[in-house]
Amino acid sequence: MLEDWLAEIRAAPSLEALEAIRVRLLGKKGELTQRLKGLGKLPPEARREEGRRLNEAKRALEAAIESRAGELKEEALARRLAAEAQDVTLPGLPFPAGNLHVLTQVLGELVGIFERMGYRAVLGPEAEEEFYNFDALNIPPHHPARDMHDTFWLKPAEGFEARFPRPLLLRTHTSPIQVRYMSTHTPPFKIVAPGKVFRHEATDATHEAMFHQLEGLVVGERITLADLKGALLAMARALYGPQARVNFRPSYFPFVEPGVEFEVWWENPRTGRGQWLELGGAGMVHPEVFRAVDELREEKGLAPLYRGMTGFAFGLGVERIAMLRYQVPDIRAFFQNRLAFLNQFREEV
Amino acid sequence: MRLPYSWLLELLPEAPAPEELEALLARLGLPVEEMVLVPRPPRGIRFAVVRDAEPIPGTELKALVLDAGREVRVVSGAENARAGVGVAWAEPGTVLPGGFRVETRTLQGRVSEGMALAPAEMGVGEYAGGLLVLPPDALPPGTELAEVWPEERVFDLEITPNRADALSVLGVARDLAAALGLEVRVPDPKPRLADLPFPIGVEVEDPDGADRYLTAYARGLRIGPSPLTAQRRLLAAGQRPINNVVDATNYALFELGNPLHAFDRAALGEGLVVRRARPGERIVTLDGVERLLSREDLVIAAKKGGDTVAVAVAGVIGGANSEVGEETTEVILEAAHFDPVSIRRTARRLGLSTEASYRFERGVDPNLPPLAALRFLELVEAWAGAEVSRNWVDLGGGKPRREVPFRPSYTNRLLGTDFPERDQLEALKRLAIRIEGDTEPYRAYPPTWRVDLAIEEDLVEEVARILGYDKIPETLPAFFPAADNLEADRPYLEEQRLRRVLTGLGFQEVINYVWTSPAHLEGVRAPAPRLLLQNPTNAEENALRTALYPGLLKNLLANRGEASVLFFELGHVFLEEEEVHLAGLLAGPYHRPGWQPGHGEGFFALKGLLEAAAARLGARVEVRPAQVAALHPGIAGEVVWEGRPVGWIGILHPAIAEALEVPAPALFELKLPLPRGRRAFVEPPRFPAAVRDLAVVVPEATPHAEVAAVIRRAAGGHLAALELFDVYRGRPLGEGEKSLAYHLIFRAPDRTLTDQEVDGFVEAVIAALTQQGWRIRG
């Protein structure tokens, strides 16, 4: 009898069938349950013997049911998993990854290098007053150095003349921020100023009318040209590795004296060949700039603080660094904003 | 400036080899832009003398008979082809530098056996407008020019505006000599001066404009071509040889740096006056252009009768009326020093930059005129057989050197170096700077040709230049900034944070030009331009942008092929004030369709992104219905950030989208800085919430925000959150109705709310909603 039942349990095709068997055998009115209930009618000696036998059978049946249930559940799970399987090689949902413009990336990297050296990044206007762009930087009207800056001059649109009484231009360099900053802040300090600058130039693969610069300015009581070289060397090494070197060549920018152009020794990772890259101009802040700043401060009712200070300033072009790094052949690609171009440059910092 | 190497060697015989020189010039701050090799003329080009030049009737051509060792006939179209001069003749078979092969040809029925050449055709200069014309006795006819015309290396130097002194062979030679410790052979002209009476009177009415005005005199000139070697050098320096007198002025200019001008004596009447131009005064200049002068322009005028007539624009260009030509026999040479600003103004106003104005506006040595004049006299004596006068007029006279204090300790303080005092003083002396005094501060007297050396820092630079910038160490300054600098980078940091938040949400950053066309701004209903470019590179794009979204729309057009575009730009716009804006654009779904459908499109996708950005920044943002010119009137709103209106969001107006031929994208534009979110700590909930759902039927035009506001007001302080979970239209609702379904989440911070309490809150909400005339659904 028990053997038949056990065989029936082992052969149960589903959890439902198994449950039906359990009810039929072990339910309230189940066959075994009935027999157990019938034990009381047996004589005592037979009762004990039969009771033991029936209880053993019950335990055996329960164990068999549990075991079969386990098997059936496993089979059902296996079937479900098989049915749910996906081709994981299918592409995921194409969420946009998001990306900074490549020039923001490079500029951000440069600013980051200087931030780690304790510089603070400051900003200034792009439509600048002639005074800040030229005069205060020791470039008076009719100075030949103005020829070095092909300038986009601005004029108010009709009806806005009264709003813009002073001559405006699109800043030709980030250096006006030097004057703006010093006229409102106390030395010593270290700042960098990233931003767009504009030159009235015919555009071609290497010339753009709009591009980006990073300006640097450090002013204090004993700032030296050697400090400038050290700062630029630290930048060059952060950009191009520990072999990078910095070279100064005499040059001329009216707002610094001495004035230099700086070059960085750069090894092209693709070719392994090195070359000197002209990255920008620099020098020691010209005393005329400090004088203009102090005058401006006095006009604002601030104490003149810059007499007797020394400082260095530098300016460098961002597009050139990006073009070299990514081998971009044409500077004009930066502002066409084609996704196929922008997509290629993924933030490295 | 173009510097022929052979010319440099004449003044500095010990100059290093060209390759070494290039590096040295760069170290001195006179970098070589380009080193050009001007080759010898090709074989087959011979010296020939023009025996006869006969015009060919009905053409501009001439039939030339040449003596090139044998008689040769060629046809030439050159205006300066004339009998009695020497020319460069290319025999048939000669291959010119451009690859052109010279042949015997027939022109106008005449056989031309080879051709007479212009300097450009020979590859020795830029001038292509006429023949190379040489003295007839320059060489024996038939001589191969290649044998007497060596190749020349030319350094094209980039001279910064402060180094006007280096705009001459002498100036470059001096700097090199100082760096190398060599001697310069300064030209020491020794013309045979005759005691001729000076033939005219000279007056300077405006000594501020012309602080030195020297005039010299030569007569008995025979105008003709300059000698071959002089022409060779002038061509290599980029000049066009004209005649022996004009060439002598240019030669002395390039060699020494003083612009010179020769007037035909016959055109000067009783004399010269240096004065300002009269209003309305006109002059035809040497380039054949009639120019209107202004009262600011300094002119040289000839005295004629009671009147004076302008014969030159001082320091810029000569007048055609006093030009030295074929018939000239006497010249007055001007070697002057003019006010740089005045020259620059005039040159700018006339739109002219000449060799003379370029130098005068940068600063010429005021003590150079006597040497330059003597050199000129020596040259015209040799080249034109002139008799030259010992007598000259030098108004204004010599100028003293400037005194500049100099402290070697300051050099080291500014450079961060340890240069010994002795080395520093020696460096300055090599530059011909006179030093006086026994201890610092020394008195330094820079030579007058160094117009750029005016302050102590200038001398520091000279020390560094001569002792070498490579000697400067690398150090890092260590100090703490003054307190008011500490917050200076906040705007930058905020901008960077916004950029990172938006890229984190999937936006691609773009950077557009700040200029655009007023027509585009108008077309996309942006504010009208406030500022215009006076001199745009593209005449149409002459307005500074007044918003960022017009640029984003252009970017959308440039990316038409993309299924999905999510752009942002953070940049400046130019309204009454210059403002920093942040704009975003979404076209197509947030994730584009692939094997799965795309998802997240339109206004609510972009609004969701903006809300996510706000959440990242810890700020509350809401959108209130508003009308915005550029937007769909029914899908437009004002963006309120932390309670302050900062911009707008919506769908581009369909009329604009249609004109641009794109489906209308979703857009936002905000003005920065955005108010910072200020959030205080809130205890995390400790007691369970009670959630009740409520659906409200309202007219179609009633915004969710209005319904939500009514609910919030009525629900009392225990409403912890209100979530819209369904918007339904259609049966069984009436036409023009919609149902808004909300989860109302109630919670108390200190206990579990009872059902009765919550029922009370909901009843109050229902009463308030009903009072609005709305009804509760189901």
Side-chain angles (χ1 to χ4, degrees):
Chain A
M1 200 61 173
L2 179 64
E3 284 312 311
D4 291 349
W5 286 343
L6 289 173
E8 203 182 338
I9 287 167
R10 277 185 223 112
S14 66
L15 283 168
E16 293 73 28
L18 187 65
E19 175 64 7
I21 294 168
R22 192 191 65 78
V23 170
R24 180 157 59 77
L25 301 179
L26 301 173
K28 276 182 187 161
K29 290 175 183 166
E31 282 180 45
L32 192 68
T33 315
Q34 293 302 326
R35 291 200 192 190
L36 281 165
K37 281 182 182 164
L39 277 178
K41 293 172 190 155
L42 292 179
E45 59 279 21
R47 189 190 306 163
R48 181 139 48 96
E49 177 60 20
E50 184 65 0
R52 194 176 45 80
R53 203 176 57 79
L54 287 178
N55 275 319
E56 269 173 20
K58 188 182 176 190
R59 276 194 297 276
L61 288 173
E62 281 171 347
I65 287 170
E66 192 182 329
S67 153
R68 180 59 183 154
E71 281 171 27
L72 285 169
K73 277 182 192 159
E74 233 166 80
E75 281 167 24
L77 180 64
R79 273 196 305 279
R80 204 187 104 206
L81 292 180
E84 285 175 357
Q86 295 279 4
D87 174 1
V88 297
T89 66
L90 285 171
L93 297 185
F95 293 110
N99 192 25
L100 291 174
H101 191 283
V102 56
L103 294 175
T104 307
Q105 293 175 32
V106 175
L107 204 44
E109 182 180 337
L110 289 168
V111 170
I113 291 167
F114 285 101
E115 280 175 333
R116 291 195 290 281
M117 291 193 275
Y119 289 63
R120 272 155 228 283
V122 303
L123 304 169
E126 292 167 5
E128 186 54 278
E129 290 177 26
E130 181 181 9
F131 171 78
Y132 287 103
N133 196 78
F134 288 129
D135 303 56
L137 290 169
N138 196 27
I139 316 175
H142 303 291
H143 192 291
R146 288 203 178 189
D147 287 351
M148 297 157 81
H149 298 246
D150 300 306
T151 308
F152 280 111
W153 290 92
L154 300 174
K155 60 180 176 192
E158 227 180 285
F160 293 97
E161 293 85 353
R163 175 62 199 82
F164 302 107
R166 279 192 281 255
L168 289 177
L169 46 81
L170 286 176
R171 65 179 177 199
T172 59
H173 47 180
T174 38
S175 306
I177 296 177
Q178 291 186 23
V179 179
R180 287 186 174 272
Y181 191 83
M182 287 191 276
S183 68
T184 51
H185 291 84
T186 307
F189 59 77
K190 296 187 251 191
I191 57 164
V192 283
K196 292 190 178 90
V197 300
F198 308 88
R199 294 284 168 97
H200 187 268
E201 270 196 300
T203 59
D204 61 28
T206 54
H207 294 88
E208 248 297 356
M210 177 175 98
F211 51 99
H212 291 77
Q213 274 188 349
L214 182 72
E215 186 86 7
L217 177 67
V218 175
V219 177
E221 275 174 4
R222 297 198 73 88
I223 302 300
T224 67
L225 196 69
D227 292 335
L228 169 63
K229 212 172 179 186
L232 294 173
L233 182 67
M235 178 196 77
R237 296 207 162 149
L239 272 182
Y240 297 129
Q243 297 82 24
R245 284 176 284 153
V246 169
N247 188 38
F248 280 175
R249 285 193 345 209
S251 190
Y252 175 64
F253 308 94
F255 41 98
V256 287
E257 189 68 46
V260 298
E261 265 181 10
F262 62 94
E263 312 172 306
V264 168
W265 183 256
W266 175 73
E267 272 170 27
N268 185 331
R270 287 168 180 81
T271 63
R273 271 205 304 267
Q275 67 184 98
W276 284 109
L277 290 184
E278 269 181 41
L279 282 192
M284 301 303 293
V285 179
H286 197 286
E288 279 299 303
V289 176
F290 284 145
R291 199 186 51 74
V293 163
D294 271 343
E295 265 182 36
L296 204 54
R297 290 180 65 90
E298 288 186 292
E299 277 170 33
K300 292 179 188 208
L302 298 170
L305 297 173
Y306 286 86
R307 181 191 301 264
M309 290 287 159
T310 60
F312 69 71
F314 63 85
L316 58 97
V318 177
E319 275 78 355
R320 187 171 156 72
I321 294 174
M323 288 173 81
L324 276 164
R325 174 178 294 178
Y326 297 111
Q327 306 288 298
V328 176
D330 192 328
I331 193 172
R332 290 167 294 192
F334 289 120
F335 307 127
Q336 286 165 358
N337 294 311
R338 298 277 314 277
L339 266 175
F341 175 83
L342 298 173
N343 268 338
Q344 297 182 32
F345 312 101
R346 295 295 174 179
E347 209 172 350
E348 290 178 359
V349 288
Chain B
M1 204 216 30
R2 287 170 65 101
L3 174 73
Y5 184 63
S6 70
W7 206 341
L8 177 70
L9 281 181
E10 200 169 287
L11 272 63
L12 192 67
E14 295 165 80
E19 298 69 31
E20 225 178 299
L21 197 58
E22 190 173 0
L24 180 57
L25 286 166
R27 253 172 44 215
L28 287 170
L30 311 173
V32 178
E33 260 187 329
E34 200 187 0
M35 191 155 67
V36 188
L37 184 70
V38 181
R40 291 166 186 275
R43 288 263 154 201
I45 300 177
R46 294 174 185 280
F47 178 73
V49 179
V50 182
R51 294 294 175 215
D52 188 39
E54 177 203 332
I56 303 176
T59 71
E60 309 226 311
L61 302 176
K62 288 173 202 158
L64 307 184
V65 180
L66 306 182
D67 173 4
R70 64 183 174 89
E71 189 177 284
V72 175
R73 288 167 187 275
V74 297
V75 175
S76 171
E79 210 182 317
N80 63 350
R82 58 188 189 274
V85 297
V87 296
W89 167 68
E91 60 190 22
T94 305
V95 179
L96 298 183
F100 178 77
R101 191 181 167 86
V102 177
E103 303 287 3
T104 299
R105 292 192 298 160
T106 306
L107 287 162
Q108 300 288 323
R110 289 169 202 253
V111 174
S112 181
E113 195 186 340
M115 61 192 282
L117 298 178
E121 290 166 322
M122 297 167 63
V124 299
E126 283 157 26
Y127 181 57
L131 300 183
L132 174 75
V133 172
L134 299 167
D137 55 356
L139 295 165
T143 307
E144 272 275 1
L145 282 177
E147 283 165 16
V148 295
W149 197 307
E151 67 176 22
E152 178 76 84
R153 266 173 213 273
V154 180
F155 296 88
D156 197 349
L157 303 182
E158 194 187 326
I159 306 291
T160 50
N162 57 325
R163 291 301 307 275
D165 66 291
L167 292 170
S168 65
V169 181
L170 175 62
V172 176
R174 274 181 178 139
D175 234 30
L176 289 168
L180 298 168
L182 301 176
E183 282 293 317
V184 180
R185 274 196 209 164
V186 181
D188 182 19
K190 291 198 167 59
R192 276 169 302 168
L193 297 170
D195 206 1
L196 309 177
F198 199 77
I200 60 167
V202 183
E203 277 171 54
V204 175
E205 276 184 13
D206 189 333
D208 293 333
D211 60 4
R212 185 161 199 179
Y213 199 77
L214 187 153
T215 39
Y217 174 55
R219 72 180 190 191
L221 296 156
R222 285 183 304 279
I223 301 293
S226 302
L228 175 62
T229 46
Q231 293 204 38
R232 224 175 60 205
R233 285 214 175 132
L234 287 171
L235 283 166
Q239 288 299 295
R240 166 192 163 195
I242 295 170
N243 60 45
N244 45 13
V245 172
V246 176
D247 291 354
T249 62
N250 284 331
Y251 197 93
L253 160 65
F254 272 84
E255 187 173 74
L256 305 174
N258 202 141
L260 301 176
H261 185 69
F263 296 99
D264 186 337
R265 156 73 188 94
L268 301 186
E270 299 98 73
L272 288 176
V273 184
V274 184
R275 60 161 169 83
R276 295 286 159 180
R278 303 190 191 103
E281 189 167 4
R282 286 164 193 277
I283 182 171
V284 177
T285 48
L286 281 172
D287 51 4
V289 180
E290 188 185 51
R291 297 176 186 276
L292 176 63
L293 300 171
S294 88
R295 298 175 79 142
E296 289 193 340
D297 300 326
L298 194 69
V299 297
I300 316 300
K303 284 199 234 178
K304 291 185 172 171
D307 198 11
T308 65
V309 179
V311 290
V313 184
V316 181
I317 192 166
N321 53 5
S322 55
E323 183 177 4
V324 172
E326 294 291 314
E327 287 78 38
T328 303
T329 58
E330 290 179 52
V331 293
I332 296 293
L333 176 80
E334 167 199 285
H337 184 258
F338 297 112
D339 170 42
V341 171
S342 164
I343 298 302
R344 182 172 164 81
R345 279 200 179 141
T346 297
R348 297 281 285 193
R349 217 181 41 71
L350 298 179
L352 262 176
S353 177
T354 61
E355 296 289 348
S357 70
Y358 190 82
R359 285 172 175 77
F360 277 129
E361 67 188 30
R362 280 163 176 72
V364 172
D365 179 3
N367 290 334
L368 189 51
L371 177 66
L374 275 178
R375 181 66 169 141
F376 170 83
L377 295 177
E378 183 181 57
L379 293 175
V380 290
E381 184 186 27
W383 298 353
E387 197 181 1
V388 299
S389 168
R390 165 184 324 281
N391 300 311
W392 64 31
V393 178
D394 183 4
L395 301 173
K399 307 289 174 213
R401 290 186 177 208
R402 187 189 270 132
E403 181 183 312
V404 183
F406 178 68
R407 292 164 296 160
S409 65
Y410 184 63
T411 303
N412 287 330
R413 187 188 151 200
L414 204 57
L415 300 181
T417 49
D418 240 337
F419 291 138
E421 182 163 319
R422 186 169 28 86
D423 294 1
Q424 294 193 36
L425 297 177
E426 172 61 23
L428 296 182
K429 284 176 189 162
R430 280 207 212 165
L431 289 162
I433 298 169
R434 203 168 68 229
I435 305 285
E436 289 180 7
D438 301 324
T439 180
E440 72 172 42
Y442 292 95
R443 295 182 304 282
Y445 298 90
T448 48
W449 61 80
R450 288 301 302 270
V451 291
D452 57 323
L453 303 184
I455 60 172
E456 192 171 16
E457 286 78 5
D458 296 326
L459 300 180
V460 171
E461 178 174 74
E462 293 308 297
V463 170
R465 224 162 51 85
I466 297 302
L467 297 185
Y469 277 99
D470 51 342
K471 307 286 192 312
I472 290 171
E474 288 120 4
T475 55
L476 286 174
F479 62 79
F480 289 101
D484 63 356
N485 298 285
L486 298 182
E487 288 289 296
D489 54 355
R490 189 168 290 282
Y492 172 79
L493 295 177
E494 295 277 319
E495 287 186 8
Q496 287 301 87
R497 185 155 154 71
L498 280 170
R499 287 192 170 100
R500 284 185 196 284
V501 165
L502 290 180
T503 54
L505 288 168
F507 284 82
Q508 167 68 54
E509 187 187 22
V510 296
I511 299 179
N512 283 297
Y513 294 105
V514 300
W515 46 77
T516 187
S517 72
H520 180 58
L521 290 179
E522 193 185 341
V524 302
R525 304 185 190 176
R530 271 49 168 178
L531 285 169
L532 303 174
L533 297 175
Q534 285 184 23
N535 51 343
T537 44
N538 170 354
E540 276 155 33
E541 309 217 314
N542 69 334
L544 294 196
R545 62 187 179 185
T546 53
L548 297 178
Y549 77 90
L552 294 183
L553 290 172
K554 282 197 168 174
N555 302 147
L556 175 61
L557 301 182
N559 288 281
R560 272 177 206 275
E562 306 286 343
S564 163
V565 164
L566 178 60
F567 280 151
F568 85 91
E569 180 168 13
L570 194 165
H572 293 213
V573 304
F574 304 86
L575 293 156
E576 275 81 342
E577 302 287 339
E578 184 169 334
E579 297 178 358
V580 184
H581 280 200
L582 172 68
L585 174 148
L586 171 64
Y590 179 66
H591 77 67
R592 55 178 197 281
W595 63 280
Q596 297 269 46
H599 192 67
E601 227 167 316
F603 173 78
F604 292 104
L606 190 66
K607 185 181 175 190
L609 288 165
L610 187 61
E611 285 167 342
R616 283 280 285 113
L617 295 162
R620 272 184 300 259
V621 68
E622 62 180 298
V623 174
R624 294 178 187 153
Q627 292 301 303
V628 177
L631 299 182
H632 187 303
I635 317 173
E638 180 182 54
V639 175
V640 180
W641 193 282
E642 284 293 311
R644 210 173 80 197
V646 294
W648 49 258
I649 184 169
I651 296 291
L652 183 68
H653 197 291
I656 301 173
E658 200 172 305
L660 297 175
E661 299 178 348
V662 284
L667 293 165
F668 69 76
E669 178 144 355
L670 314 178
K671 180 184 167 186
L672 304 186
L674 298 171
R676 291 165 68 82
R678 276 184 298 274
R679 288 291 170 84
F681 168 75
V682 177
E683 186 79 38
R686 284 190 294 171
F687 294 90
V691 181
R692 300 296 169 87
D693 290 354
L694 204 56
V696 194
V697 178
V698 298
E700 186 60 59
T702 305
H704 146 74
E706 192 181 327
V707 179
V710 171
I711 295 174
R712 284 206 179 89
R713 269 200 306 275
H718 293 309
L719 183 71
L722 177 67
E723 288 172 8
L724 177 73
F725 69 89
D726 189 36
V727 179
Y728 177 77
R729 299 176 178 88
R731 289 164 63 81
L733 302 183
E735 191 76 3
E737 286 187 328
K738 64 183 176 189
S739 158
L740 302 172
Y742 296 92
H743 298 304
L744 282 69
I745 299 153
F746 293 97
R747 179 184 281 133
D750 53 349
R751 67 203 154 87
T752 303
L753 292 169
T754 64
D755 280 354
Q756 289 85 338
E757 281 179 292
V758 175
D759 288 345
F761 301 149
V762 173
E763 272 161 33
V765 168
I766 290 172
L769 291 170
T770 319
Q771 202 181 5
Q772 294 290 322
W774 304 330
R775 68 177 196 276
I776 305 305
R777 193 172 160 222

